[in-house]
Amino acid sequence: QAIKADAKYYDAYNNRMNIEMRTGRNDDAIATAKKMEALKPGDAMVNLNLGIMLDKKGDAKQSLQYYTAATNAIDKQLKLKPDTKTKAALIIQKALIIRLMNDKAAFQSLLASLKKQSDIEPQTINVVTSIQDVPTSDLQKSILPYLK
């Protein structure tokens, strides 16, 4: 009903997508996420959601495009010099996405870069380090329900 009242109500689409994902209506969830993408082009979380859903569907090529778009969006946010807590969350999100991409070289590059930066908290580096050995399927299962 909220979408009928306001076709640009992003949160209503987000709620719909989450319900569709939880009820196994993945094609509907992907269609809803693509509508969200039109409302917020370049949004990291929308791109991440689409990447995971398409990856689970077996569309590796398209999921990689969305994962890449998500990391690019996070890089843009990091350039805005967010506060320490937000920066840590963005870095962890980026590490998760790179792991979902199965790009071990990019993950190691990110980790090495973080270790060289004096403004990165040790906790953030520890979390990123712990992500590197988690199987992709476990990452998908554990993070997809919490994405918004």
Side-chain angles (χ1 to χ4, degrees), residues 42-49 51 63-79 90-103 106-107 110:
D43 183 75
M45 295 312 290
V46 172
N47 282 302
L48 176 55
N49 276 318
S63 68
L64 183 60
Q65 292 172 344
Y66 282 107
Y67 288 148
T68 301
T71 60
N72 290 340
I74 289 171
D75 286 340
K76 285 181 186 176
Q77 291 175 306
L78 287 168
K79 286 181 183 174
L90 290 168
I91 289 168
I92 292 167
Q93 286 174 1
K94 183 175 180 177
L96 286 166
I97 296 166
I98 292 170
R99 277 292 295 119
L100 289 169
M101 294 167 73
N102 285 315
D103 189 339
F107 191 91
L110 172 65

Side-chain angles (χ1 to χ4, degrees), residues 88-135:
L90 290 168
I91 289 168
I92 292 167
Q93 286 174 1
K94 183 175 180 177
L96 286 166
I97 296 166
I98 292 170
R99 277 292 295 119
L100 289 169
M101 294 167 73
N102 285 315
D103 189 339
K104 291 182 181 183
F107 191 91
Q108 291 305 318
S109 177
L110 172 65
L111 191 55
S113 170
L114 295 175
K115 289 178 179 178
K116 292 178 186 174
Q117 297 178 45
S118 61
D119 63 332
I120 305 296
E121 294 184 351
Q123 286 177 305
T124 303
I125 294 171
N126 291 340
V127 171
V128 171
T129 301
S130 71
I131 292 168
Q132 69 184 332
D133 295 321
V134 178

